[in-house]
């Protein structure tokens, strides 16, 4: 694979760079997301009829790299763009695609993900929230937890149990829930960073119309797997771009505070080397994606390495600072703790890599 930009990719990279130079926002939010959409940089790979630009995946990767390099915040509708949208594109009806996809890109409607429950995290097949089929749709009862953006969301992709007698992967149904419907209650959860990015959601007799079903009744597991593949598969580039910027910042800090310390020099060099390996692994995933259109299980490797490296390097930065909080690295270290839990814990990702990438026997 030739890793240099083609003439078309180079021209696109220049366009993104010069747009960012003139448009960097004072703060992230819906206005910035709208601006990204108006400039044609949201949903780059999505079909034009749904508000995208039908560009190749390489353009998406370039845009993510350049945004991260410029320190520009990403589009705020991360769950819509990375998970709900791609899932609707695969399993949704034409009406659903037209109704939801363009407004995800313009950030007119924000989405959250209602998968995890108090007793179902790594093992999603243990979900107990009821999605009870009725003549004209479904009634949802139960509780979800750790739902990022739920306090701002208009819609939720939710997996629940439609057959109360069923066990594990069978009897699950995947629906789109209107977060403004009667019976939906969102309670924010505060994280170690002091922010409240995620929430508990309580559903009490929430009515969901029949047209909000995604896939088949009882076929929710297959739909959920599409969501998870995209969650891990597309995360890599965005996050590696951010990590690249972090490594550059770490190098600057080491030059300023510990340039003569041979052990620190060694450890900083290791982080740079690991970053290069991660970038090359991402290019390999990109090649699979460009050939098949589906993210492969290798995305789990990128997510695992990225999240563990991010924790290691924020810890190293704090060591160089001698525990002093400069207002940046302290926050980054606290936030990095959640990275090895969200979108699959490190243990779960190692299981996936062992079984699905390396073909080792199943662990259970
Ligand atoms: C910042 C953040 C944002 C999140 N956003 C969302 C969201 O928007 N929507 C959503 O639905 N969820 C979200 N989550 C939840 C996340 O998906 C779960 O926390 C995660 O899947 C782990 O589940 P759990 O917390 O229930 O831990 P558990 O599954 O109870 O795991 C506890 C420990 O046991 C280990 N473990 C479990 N099973 C195995 C196994 N088979 N083999 C080896 N070890 C195992 C785990 O690795 C972990 O260390 C978010 C989490 C975080 C931290």
């Amino acid at each position: 694979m030739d890793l240099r930009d083609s003439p078309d990719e180079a021209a696109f990279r220049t366009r993104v760079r010069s747009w960012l130079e003139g448009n960097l926002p004072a703060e992230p939010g819906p206005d910035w997301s709208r601006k990204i959409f108006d400039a044609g940089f949201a949903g780059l790979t999505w079909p034009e009829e749904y508000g995208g630009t039908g560009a190749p995946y390489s353009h998406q990767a370039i845009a993510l790299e350049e945004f991260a390099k410029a320190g520009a915040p990403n589009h705020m509708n991360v769950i819509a763009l990375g998970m709900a949208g791609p899932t609707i594109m695969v399993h949704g009806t034409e009406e659903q695609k037209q109704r939801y996809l363009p407004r995800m890109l313009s950030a007119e409607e924000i989405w959250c993900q209602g998968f995890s429950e108090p007793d179902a995290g790594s093992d999603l097949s243990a979900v107990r929230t009821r999605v009870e089929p009725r003549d004209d749709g479904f009634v949802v009862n139960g509780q979800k937890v750790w739902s990022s953006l739920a306090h701002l969301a208009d819609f939720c992709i939710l997996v629940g149990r439609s057959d109360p007698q069923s066990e594990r992967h069978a009897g699950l149904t995947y629906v789109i829930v209107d977060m403004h419907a009667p019976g939906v209650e969102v309670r924010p959860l505060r994280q170690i960073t002091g922010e409240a990015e995620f929430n508990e959601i309580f559903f009490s007799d929430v009515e969901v119309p029949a047209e909000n079903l995604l896939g088949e009744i009882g076929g929710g597991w297959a739909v959920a797997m599409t969501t998870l593949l995209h969650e891990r598969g597309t995360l890599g580039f965005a996050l590696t771009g951010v990590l690249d910027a972090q490594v550059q910042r770490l190098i600057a800090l080491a030059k300023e505070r510990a340039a003569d310390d041979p052990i620190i020099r060694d450890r900083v060099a290791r982080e740079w080397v690991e970053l290069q390996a991660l970038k090359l692994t991402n290019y390999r995933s990109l090649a699979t994606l460009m050939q098949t259109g589906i993210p492969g299980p290798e995305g789990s490797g990128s997510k695992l390495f990225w999240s563990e490296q991010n924790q290691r390097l924020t810890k190293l930065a704090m060591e160089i600072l001698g525990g002093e909080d400069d207002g940046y690295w302290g926050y980054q270290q606290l936030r990095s703790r959640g990275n090895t839990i969200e979108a699959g814990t490190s243990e779960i990702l190692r299981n996936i890599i062992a079984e699905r990438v390396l073909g080792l026997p199943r662990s259970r």
Side-chain angles (χ1 to χ4, degrees):
M1 184 184 185
D2 186 351
L3 296 177
R4 288 165 303 187
D5 285 346
S6 67
D8 163 61
E9 288 164 357
F12 179 70
R13 193 182 288 280
T14 306
R15 184 155 81 79
V16 179
R17 252 185 219 168
S18 56
W19 184 79
L20 282 170
E21 272 165 25
N23 289 286
L24 269 188
E27 55 185 55
D31 292 347
W32 171 238
S33 305
R34 175 79 209 193
K35 238 176 150 177
I36 298 176
F37 172 68
D38 289 339
F41 297 135
L44 278 161
T45 59
W46 292 19
E48 286 177 34
E49 64 262 42
Y50 306 129
T53 60
Y57 285 103
S58 57
H59 283 208
Q60 178 69 69
I62 288 169
L64 289 169
E65 274 176 7
E66 293 302 323
F67 267 61
K69 241 183 236 166
N74 279 323
H75 196 290
M76 71 176 289
N77 220 359
V78 279
I79 289 173
L81 270 58
M83 290 172 255
T87 307
I88 290 177
M89 251 174 295
V90 175
H91 299 278
T93 61
E94 192 49 42
E95 289 72 31
Q96 287 172 334
K97 292 177 194 174
Q98 289 184 9
R99 161 68 189 83
Y100 296 116
L101 298 176
R103 282 179 238 183
M104 290 178 171
L105 298 178
S106 61
E108 281 164 87
E109 289 169 347
I110 305 299
W111 288 65
C112 67
Q113 178 193 22
F115 279 26
S116 306
E117 295 181 6
D119 291 319
S122 301
D123 184 7
L124 180 63
S125 72
V127 294
R128 302 255 47 111
T129 290
R130 289 292 320 276
V131 177
E132 195 184 329
R134 296 272 173 90
D135 289 345
D136 53 352
F138 305 88
V139 174
V140 176
N141 276 292
Q143 185 197 343
K144 295 290 176 179
V145 69
W146 318 124
S147 293
S148 308
L149 292 174
H151 55 299
L152 303 173
D154 300 292
F155 292 101
C156 177
I157 40 173
L158 180 138
V159 185
R161 202 158 284 284
S162 44
D163 174 358
Q165 311 303 331
S166 65
E167 289 290 333
R168 301 190 54 76
H169 310 92
L172 298 175
T173 293
Y174 194 124
V175 287
I176 297 169
V177 181
D178 178 350
M179 291 294 284
H180 306 295
V184 177
E185 189 197 340
V186 176
R187 293 188 202 157
L189 291 167
R190 203 156 290 283
Q191 294 153 250
I192 195 172
T193 54
E195 298 164 303
E197 292 171 310
F198 53 28
N199 308 267
E200 294 175 294
I201 319 177
F202 296 86
F203 300 90
S204 313
D205 291 327
V206 177
E207 292 183 13
V208 175
E211 67 261 25
N212 284 21
L213 171 68
L214 256 186
E216 308 283 325
I217 295 180
W221 184 255
V223 186
M225 286 306 104
T226 302
T227 308
L228 295 186
L229 267 185
H230 279 273
E231 179 173 24
R232 288 161 200 162
T234 49
L235 215 57
F237 265 94
L239 299 179
T240 306
V242 176
L243 193 66
D244 198 345
Q246 300 266 66
V247 170
Q248 299 313 322
R249 220 174 159 131
L250 177 72
I251 293 169
L253 179 71
K255 277 185 181 160
E256 191 191 307
R257 302 271 190 128
D260 298 330
D261 184 327
I263 304 223
I264 297 286
R265 289 164 68 103
D266 231 48
R267 289 171 67 191
V268 172
R270 175 185 168 190
E271 296 311 334
W272 183 86
V273 171
E274 298 268 354
L275 174 69
Q276 308 315 310
L278 183 58
K279 279 187 186 173
L280 294 174
T281 305
N282 281 342
Y283 282 124
R284 194 166 16 194
S285 301
L286 180 64
T288 311
L289 191 60
M290 287 179 79
Q291 281 157 16
T292 63
I294 306 166
E298 310 84 19
S300 293
S302 295
K303 196 287 175 164
L304 173 68
F305 263 80
W306 168 80
S307 56
E308 297 201 337
Q309 183 173 9
N310 193 35
Q311 263 176 25
R312 215 173 41 237
L313 80 83
T314 54
K315 188 163 170 282
L316 176 53
M318 289 304 284
E319 278 181 50
I320 297 174
L321 283 168
E324 165 201 331
D325 187 357
D326 68 345
Y328 177 80
W329 287 109
Y331 169 85
Q332 295 298 330
Q333 189 182 31
L334 293 178
R335 184 60 186 82
S336 74
R337 305 305 303 175
N339 297 143
T340 50
I341 302 172
E342 63 193 324
T345 66
S346 290
E347 291 76 17
I348 293 300
L349 296 178
R350 285 196 173 86
N351 282 348
I352 292 174
I353 293 165
E355 291 167 16
R356 301 209 206 130
V357 181
L358 305 178
L360 296 174
R362 288 185 65 82
S363 58
R364 57 185 185 139

